[in-house]
Amino acid sequence: MNNSAIGVFDSGMGGLTCVKELNKLMPNEDIIYFGDTARIPYGTRSKETILKYAEQDIALMKKHDVKMIIAACGTVSSMVGMNKNAAGDIPFTGVLLPTVQTACSKTKNGKIGVIGTAATIKSGSYGKAIRTIKPDISIIGVPCPLFVPLVENGFADRDNPVAKLVVEQYLEPIKKDGVDTLILGCTHYPILHDAIADYMGENVELISSGSEAAKYACAFLTGKDMLTERTVEGTISFYSSDSTDLFYENAHAFLGEQIHGTVKQVAMEELTALA
Ligand code: DGL
């Protein structure tokens, strides 16, 4: 048994798609969430910068004595790769491995599409991870840099004409390729789920990287006997590096409900002094 919180971080609000699933699977667990909203996007930055930011985000999580750290960010996960020791002696997972394991188990025709930020797709991380499980899978990866700003600015409804147009532009080559499984390799993208599903059609299964990381964490903590012994609902504490007002305003789109509790701001000086 372990009553400490689970730490989850992302460059912004996208990691809340992981929190939503964690809370569904393990409602009694406490969760600490950090969104580095002052430095989003990570996905357009260099590997060195993303790794530096990730180091600081992990150090912040450690300050809260969490029992496990989840990088609920496809971009950070892609730069960290399969390194399970990214948080030293604290159990750590990114979204990469949990997501590709599910995608490989779901595909029937052996064709998987991957969408993510520019840094994620450039790294080829999902493809490399898929090939460690199933070397003969055909993979097509497309960066979708406009998806994050669309989502963060509320242009994500299935009927939104801008969202529909951008989805069509980006996903056309993937649709033509005939994939039957599409990895939403950035944790922001499930907010565009309906628009993407409408365009790809019902025969394509969409895999949410945030949800898969949550399922993995649940299995891990259960297997290691590290779940809380509390029998009452846990609390979720939110932190952001930019305006907490914006966080309050936008979080419900990711969590499916308004935030209960507080959002605290982490000063940039505090964050950068950590690592
Ligand atoms: N949520 C981040 C990811 O999963 C994307 C946002 C960003 O570019 O920072 O990759």
Side-chain angles (χ1 to χ4, degrees):
M1 298 294 165
N2 187 326
N3 290 329
S4 300
I6 302 168
V8 185
F9 73 88
D10 178 38
S11 56
M13 318 286 282
L16 294 175
T17 55
C18 176
V19 169
K20 185 179 174 190
E21 186 71 18
L22 282 173
N23 197 231
K24 192 171 114 196
L25 296 171
M26 300 178 283
N28 298 343
E29 295 293 336
D30 284 346
I31 299 171
I32 307 269
Y33 182 81
F34 174 60
D36 194 1
T37 46
R39 300 192 294 194
I40 193 175
Y42 283 11
T44 51
R45 299 178 196 273
S46 69
K47 181 172 184 178
E48 292 70 33
T49 302
I50 296 164
L51 285 174
K52 186 74 208 161
Y53 289 177
E55 209 186 330
Q56 292 163 353
D57 300 339
I58 288 170
L60 181 70
M61 293 284 115
K62 284 184 168 180
K63 260 187 73 178
H64 289 275
D65 282 332
V66 294
K67 61 184 169 189
M68 179 174 197
I69 297 177
I70 305 174
C73 173
T75 308
V76 167
S77 307
S78 294
M79 299 306 121
V80 171
M82 305 293 218
N83 181 7
K84 286 191 177 153
N85 302 320
D89 51 1
I90 313 263
F92 170 87
T93 186
V95 298
L96 212 55
L97 201 59
T99 304
V100 300
Q101 277 170 345
T102 301
C104 287
S105 72
K106 297 268 179 190
T107 183
K108 293 195 176 64
N109 73 1
K111 288 184 170 194
I112 297 178
V114 183
I115 52 176
T117 63
T120 294
I121 298 303
K122 187 169 165 229
S123 74
S125 57
Y126 280 98
K128 286 177 205 156
I130 288 169
R131 292 212 171 84
T132 63
I133 302 171
K134 283 198 172 176
D136 52 347
I137 294 274
S138 146
I139 301 153
I140 173 167
V142 172
C144 304
L146 289 177
F147 278 5
V148 169
L150 279 181
V151 166
E152 294 258 333
N153 290 287
F155 285 74
D157 282 357
R158 69 169 7 132
D159 296 325
N160 186 293
V162 183
K164 278 167 92 161
L165 189 69
V166 178
V167 163
E168 195 178 315
Q169 288 274 321
Y170 282 141
L171 299 190
E172 194 188 349
I174 300 191
K175 190 170 177 174
K176 276 198 179 138
D177 195 62
V179 305
D180 68 354
T181 307
L182 177 60
I183 291 177
L184 309 183
C186 166
T187 51
H188 279 73
Y189 295 2
I191 309 306
L192 283 160
H193 176 282
D194 294 348
I196 294 172
D198 287 348
Y199 179 68
M200 293 304 291
E202 59 188 11
N203 295 328
V204 178
E205 177 130 20
L206 308 187
I207 313 281
S208 157
S209 46
S211 300
E212 294 309 320
K215 289 177 202 156
Y216 175 91
C218 181
F220 177 87
L221 293 172
T222 306
K224 299 276 181 200
D225 194 21
M226 286 171 70
L227 293 174
T228 181
E229 60 194 345
R230 276 188 310 269
T231 52
V232 293
E233 215 175 298
T235 57
I236 311 180
S237 309
F238 301 92
Y239 294 84
S240 70
S241 52
D242 203 351
S243 155
T244 55
D245 292 350
L246 270 181
F247 200 99
Y248 272 114
E249 260 172 52
N250 295 334
H252 67 92
F254 297 82
L255 288 171
E257 59 179 11
Q258 298 294 343
I259 284 181
H260 308 293
T262 56
V263 185
K264 291 187 187 137
Q265 188 162 5
V266 178
M268 198 42 74
E269 306 79 64
E270 185 195 334
L271 195 58
T272 51
L274 287 171

